[in-house]
Each structure stands twice: as C-alpha cells, then as structure tokens.
Amino acid sequence: MYTLYGSPSTAGTAIHWMLLELEVPFDLKLLDFDKGEHKTPEYLALNPDGVVPTLVVDGAPVTQMAGIATLLAERHPEAGFAPPPGSPARAEYLTWTLWLANSFQPHFRAWFYPHEPAGEAAQEGAKAAARERIEAGLARLDARLADRDWLVGDHFTTVDLLATILCRWSRNMPKPATAWPNLKRYLDRVRQRPALREVHAREGLTDWIDG
Ligand SMILES: N[C@@H](CCC(=O)N[C@@H](CS)C(=O)NCC(=O)O)C(=O)O
C-alpha cells in the first residue's frame, strides 16, 4: 500500500501523476504549505528535509522525486516505465534520470527559493543565474528531442514524467519550455495523457495543461 504526501503543483504532483499512470491504489495526503504542515515534527520524521514528496511504501518512507518515480517503475515493471537492468536503454535511462535530478532540478529550486544559495541580499543574482542554467537545460532537452519522440528508448518512461514536470515548472518564467519547438511538440503530446490531465483535475490545476 502507498501513502503519498504531496502538495498541489509541486514535486509531489509528479508522484501523484505516476500513481495514476500505474492505476494502483494509494492514500493521498496533501500538505498545506501555508500552514507549515510540511515542517511539523511528525512530517520531519518521514522527510527530514521538510519537502514533498514522500511516499510511504509498506510503512517505510521514501523521499526524492526521481528516486520515488524510479522505485515505482521497478515495483510495477508491467507498465514499462523503466528499461530493466541489463537492457540496452538502461544506461541512457540512468544518465537522463540523474541528469534531471542532479544537474537540472536544483536550478528550479534556486529559481523558486533564491535565498537558499544566495542569502537574502543576493536573490536577484541567484535568480538570473538559475534562469540561465534552466534555459540551457531546456535547450539540451529540446536538442535531444529533435529526432525522437521520447527522451529514452521508444516509449514513455519515468524520464519523460520527470522532464515534463520540470518543464511545467518553467511555465511562468520569461522563456518557458514551450518556447522551444521540439519541446513544445513533445509536451503537447504528453499533455494528452489521461493520467496527467487527471492529476491536474485532482490537484485543482487549471493552467498549462491545455497549452
Ligand atoms: N530534491 C527534492 C526536492 C523537493 C522539493 O524541493 N520540494 C518542494 C516543492 S516542489 C518543497 O517541498 N518545498 C517546500 C519547502 O522547501 O519548504 C526532491 O526531488 O524530492
């Protein structure tokens, strides 16, 4: 049994979407950031960073969006969301998963929480640097999609799920992901997936899903 701790329009949305893709039963606890529900001692015992998502799997908390998505793909191999260990696409799958989580996602954290890397006084500079790096990352994804439908292999995997959620986070930035033509084509296709549309409806998200 799964219990997901998330919050609307966050990294928790990626795992909420994944659970809907998998059509597995789960309990959902949406935390209210304004009330500090992600910083209570009870929640910090599950996720010491005080962030979402946390997925409780058979009673044990698992954290980190990319790690949870990969774990779910491995627990439900019938969905085909991760190339199995030893398969030809596995190396690319690991490379792109780790690139998204380690090299790309942190720049969004710096964009949305610029005081963390820079301190209160230097937030504008931190945002400018984060924007530059996010745009470089989006350009990298766009180039990858120039001659292929999916980031890894020949069908949708958790790499596409993670990339789509990160692209969504750029929607109110000066140059959002949809400004790149290959990414736009790709995202238009992914945005037709019923589970992504369903997670928007369930979390009350009305922007971006229709372009
Ligand atoms: N590296 C973490 C980052 C998670 C993260 O930054 N979550 C944000 C929402 S997108 C959050 O919980 N922010 C609340 C806070 O930092 O207080 C992951 O991938 O799970």
Side-chain angles (χ1 to χ4, degrees), residues 149-164:
D149 287 341
W150 304 106
L151 286 166
V152 171
D154 60 4
H155 62 270
F156 181 87
T157 67
T158 54
V159 169
D160 299 296
L161 180 136
L162 297 169
T164 298

Side-chain angles (χ1 to χ4, degrees), residues 3-207:
T3 301
L4 172 63
Y5 291 81
S7 193
S9 197
T10 63
T13 306
I15 305 306
H16 194 180
W17 172 20
M18 177 86 183
L19 290 164
L20 294 174
E21 288 277 359
L22 294 171
E23 299 181 345
V24 293
F26 62 94
D27 284 337
L28 177 65
K29 298 191 187 303
L30 289 179
L31 304 180
D32 186 336
F33 282 5
D34 290 338
K35 291 186 183 156
E37 289 177 353
H38 57 316
K39 305 294 181 191
T40 63
E42 294 75 22
Y43 185 66
L44 291 173
L46 298 174
N47 185 324
D49 293 322
V51 297
V52 294
T54 300
L55 185 70
V56 179
V57 181
D58 299 333
V62 184
T63 65
Q64 297 297 325
M65 173 173 76
I68 298 169
T70 304
L71 177 73
L72 283 171
E74 291 183 357
R75 285 173 62 93
H76 302 278
E78 66 286 353
F81 287 166
S87 65
R90 184 71 177 183
E92 286 198 334
Y93 174 79
L94 292 175
T95 297
W96 280 97
T97 298
L98 273 291
W99 180 80
L100 288 168
N102 286 354
S103 300
F104 190 42
Q105 184 181 336
H107 303 313
F108 284 98
R109 180 90 198 173
W111 172 263
F112 289 116
Y113 304 84
H115 61 283
E116 289 184 347
E120 294 297 335
Q123 297 190 47
E124 283 314 306
K127 281 194 84 157
R131 177 186 167 188
E132 202 173 298
R133 289 171 184 149
I134 289 168
E135 290 182 4
L138 293 172
R140 172 96 63 96
L141 290 171
D142 188 72
R144 173 77 176 170
L145 291 164
D147 56 358
R148 51 190 306 131
D149 287 341
W150 304 106
L151 286 166
V152 171
D154 60 4
H155 62 270
F156 181 87
T157 67
T158 54
V159 169
D160 299 296
L161 180 136
L162 297 169
T164 298
I165 286 294
L166 295 175
C167 285
R168 182 178 179 276
W169 292 355
S170 74
R171 70 196 181 285
N172 296 321
M173 293 185 67
K175 188 169 179 187
T178 47
W180 277 266
N182 300 320
L183 264 177
K184 166 95 168 74
R185 197 168 50 245
Y186 166 80
L187 291 168
D188 283 349
R189 200 153 29 83
V190 177
R191 284 186 286 193
Q192 297 312 311
R193 292 184 76 84
L196 180 56
R197 304 188 71 81
E198 179 65 19
V199 83
H200 275 71
R202 291 195 189 194
E203 294 195 2
L205 313 178
T206 51
D207 62 342

